[in-house]
Amino acid sequence: MTAIAFIGLGIMGSPMAVHLVKAGHAVAGYNRTPAKAEPLTAAGGRAAESIADAVTGAEVVALMVPDSPDVQDVLTGPGGVFEHAAPGTLIIDFSSIRPDVTRELAEEAGRRGLRYLDAPVSGGEAGARNAALSIMVGGDADAFEAARPVFEAVGRTVVHVGPSGSGQTVKAANQLIVAANIEALAEAVVFLRAYGVDLEAALEVLGGGLAGSAVLAQKGANMAGHSFEPGFRIELHHKDLGVVTSAAREAGVVLPLGALVAQLVASANAVGDGALDHSALLRGVERLSGTA
Ligand code: NAP
């Protein structure tokens, strides 16, 4: 049993923290909006009153917050994790953020005698609820081995992909692939509807062939039913595509499809769809086609 602090009990963090309790760990969860700690306390975890309260006595500190500035606040801000974590504490950042920010935070953690892994996840809300996430981990091999029981409680495919920041780079690639997939599926749905094809039948047969994908399996029904409750919000995907396009530019590589999809996601965000699930990229294709 490990004493774990879990900070950020949102769509992803809440079920992950619950799985850690179910795996036998002692979990103290902190969320800015306290009501979101209810599933954790119902499962037998503790709702901490502050970051300091959660982190004091913890051997592992897990984070699941939206963006780079949020991770920086939680770790380096006044009353944050770096102020309160004991030397040797293992910090696991499950959030999807910029690889360069991750590397800076990992260096600062190292100077303070803390261990640090970036461990962004893929698999969506369903993956978090079913403890079936893919977890792409960057950092030292020793820290990765120490974190294995935590990863195994929340994930199914757990891979150490390289040094600090590598997990975030792999996650950026993941978000490029997922956005392009969703856009292609959305365009197919608009196309099929234009021909009056039975959409359910079409998606079933497409799902069994080379066009089949986790995106089609998880998001096809959302699109068919025009139901866009998140899930994964467009505003978060917009953040991720900003990470992809700026990191690609820095590396001097060209991602034409990524650039186009980033613009389409930016448009969805700009017209007010940011709080919808990313399957709502369908609405953008409908707007362009005059079928909205
Ligand atoms: P979410 O539902 O918005 O949860 C984020 C949590 O972080 C909320 O509980 C929020 O607290 C807290 N938070 C936000 N800013 C904070 C700050 N500055 N300081 C302290 N706490 C803060 O988001 P999510 O969907 O779980 O996503 C979390 C991360 O996972 C993101 O990086 C996202 O890209 C990644 N991710 C999400 C999915 C998905 O399908 N949703 C899949 C893979 C990866 P409040 O309750 O007070 O707002």
Side-chain angles (χ1 to χ4, degrees):
M1 180 170 107
T2 303
I4 302 174
F6 205 111
I7 299 165
L9 304 170
I11 287 176
M12 300 296 283
S14 175
M16 291 170 75
V18 167
H19 281 301
L20 288 168
V21 173
K22 288 185 180 159
H25 301 295
V27 181
Y30 170 74
N31 198 67
R32 221 173 34 178
T33 309
K36 290 191 189 165
E38 273 165 21
L40 174 65
T41 51
R46 181 173 77 82
E49 283 169 9
S50 62
I51 291 176
D53 178 25
V55 167
T56 304
E59 300 157 273
V60 170
V61 177
L63 272 71
M64 193 45 149
V65 295
D67 201 352
S68 305
D70 305 312
V71 174
Q72 286 168 317
D73 271 4
V74 168
L75 292 179
T76 66
V81 173
F82 284 175
E83 262 180 27
H84 295 283
T89 302
L90 173 57
I91 296 170
I92 304 175
D93 182 19
F94 287 113
S95 325
S96 308
I97 67 165
R98 283 172 33 191
D100 55 336
V101 171
T102 288
R103 281 190 291 272
E104 282 164 20
L105 289 168
E107 277 167 24
E108 178 60 23
R111 282 191 286 274
R112 292 168 178 265
L114 306 168
R115 295 180 294 165
Y116 193 101
L117 293 172
D118 48 305
V121 307
S122 179
E125 186 184 10
R129 291 200 175 278
N130 299 327
L133 294 167
S134 269
I135 311 180
M136 33 218 100
V137 188
D140 290 347
D142 287 356
F144 174 71
E145 286 310 321
R148 210 180 258 284
V150 172
F151 293 144
E152 284 173 357
V154 297
R156 195 175 289 158
T157 308
V158 181
V159 182
H160 182 216
V161 293
S164 184
S166 310
Q168 298 295 356
T169 303
V170 176
K171 174 66 185 180
N174 183 85
Q175 293 306 81
L176 165 65
I177 296 167
V178 171
N181 246 277
I182 292 180
E183 177 64 21
L185 178 61
E187 293 183 12
V189 165
V190 168
F191 171 73
L192 290 165
R193 280 211 173 111
Y195 277 90
V197 173
D198 176 340
L199 193 56
E200 207 180 312
L203 292 180
E204 184 188 344
V205 71
L206 288 172
L210 197 54
S213 66
V215 162
L216 195 154
Q218 285 189 33
K219 303 293 179 181
N222 289 27
M223 291 193 193
H226 244 248
S227 118
F228 303 122
E229 174 97 1
F232 187 72
R233 295 193 301 279
I234 280 179
E235 64 193 6
L236 289 176
H237 218 141
H238 179 52
K239 169 224 18 157
D240 291 335
L241 291 172
V243 174
V244 176
T245 47
S246 69
R249 186 182 171 88
E250 216 169 285
V253 295
V254 179
L255 311 178
L257 184 58
L260 175 59
V261 176
Q263 290 296 303
L264 294 168
V265 172
S267 164
N269 198 49
V271 299
D273 283 355
L276 301 181
D277 187 71
H278 50 177
S279 49
L281 281 182
L282 176 66
R283 285 162 52 90
V285 184
E286 289 171 342
R287 282 188 290 267
L288 288 171
S289 303
T291 60

